[in-house]
Amino acid sequence: MTVYESDLPGVGKKHEIELHGDERLVVVTHNTGKREVYRRADADSDAEKLFELSDGLARTVGTVLEGAYFQPVATENIETVLGGDALIEWYEVPDHSELAGETIEAADVRQRTGVSIIAVEHGDEVTPNPDPGAGVGAGDTVVVIGSREEVDAFHAMFIDVGDGGDDAGGTDAGGDDGDGTVLD
């Protein structure tokens, strides 16, 4: 997927997201916060306006689309950038992880990596804000918060464990530097 970004002087920014085939989704973000969403059949066709959202509604819809309220089961890890350097990421704990079969405290997660585990999902049961004595098993999904470096350290220490480990990594946003830049 490629995302094209361009400035709209006096209006805001435009992002075009390649969909299936040549189809594109166009999001115009006005300086006021209003978003207009268009669909283009291909790069050369006229855009068809689909809908318009206020700033607050666009943020709520964006949060839902990102999966902040529901994590699809098939996804091994997803990251949410909160602004600044903080991000939230979901990881499935592999069989060979030091964390599998330990409590958060015994694994010394915060001291060793700097992240905090803010939720543990075991099957259909989710424990938000688990206490340090909470156990984590292989196959559980943990939600961590920290800086990029801390989350990377957590991934390297507890998730990317080599034999049987998960090396899916997070989604990396590419460069973003202005008019017509491809963000892919």
Side-chain angles (χ1 to χ4, degrees):
M1 175 180 66
T2 302
V3 179
Y4 303 92
E5 179 183 298
S6 57
D7 289 322
L8 299 175
V11 176
K13 290 248 185 210
K14 178 175 77 174
H15 292 90
E16 289 195 35
I17 303 140
E18 288 182 345
L19 301 176
H20 304 291
D22 292 335
E23 191 176 22
R24 291 180 177 203
L25 184 68
V26 180
V27 179
V28 175
T29 304
H30 291 255
N31 292 330
T32 61
K34 176 177 82 177
R35 271 66 154 199
E36 294 175 316
V37 180
Y38 299 86
R39 178 191 160 274
R40 292 172 62 171
D42 58 62
D44 298 325
S45 66
D46 291 332
E48 168 194 357
K49 186 173 182 177
L50 299 175
F51 55 89
E52 181 178 309
L53 301 170
S54 68
D55 184 48
L57 186 55
R59 292 177 189 277
T60 300
V61 170
T63 305
V64 170
L65 290 173
E66 191 174 52
Y69 296 105
F70 173 74
Q71 181 63 46
V73 174
T75 303
E76 294 181 11
N77 68 317
I78 294 285
E79 71 176 30
T80 300
V81 178
L82 299 175
D85 190 34
L87 64 102
I88 296 174
E89 191 150 0
W90 286 252
Y91 289 109
E92 183 176 325
V93 177
D95 290 337
H96 302 290
S97 171
E98 285 183 53
L99 189 55
E102 290 289 344
T103 65
I104 296 168
E105 184 175 37
D108 208 14
V109 172
R110 184 179 293 177
Q111 294 300 317
R112 295 172 70 189
T113 66
V115 302
S116 294
I117 294 178
I118 58 174
V120 176
E121 181 181 44
H122 178 78
D124 293 334
E125 184 178 320
V126 176
T127 304
N129 195 24
D131 66 53
V136 178
D140 289 354
T141 298
V142 294
V143 183
V144 300
I145 185 169
S147 69
R148 163 72 62 199
E149 294 78 22
E150 292 166 342
V151 171
D152 287 347
F154 176 82
H155 181 264
M157 186 168 296
F158 295 108
I159 305 301
D160 186 17
V161 293
D163 185 28
D166 173 2
D167 194 19
T171 54
D172 293 326
D176 171 8
D177 60 337
D179 195 38
T181 300
V182 177
L183 299 175
D184 189 67

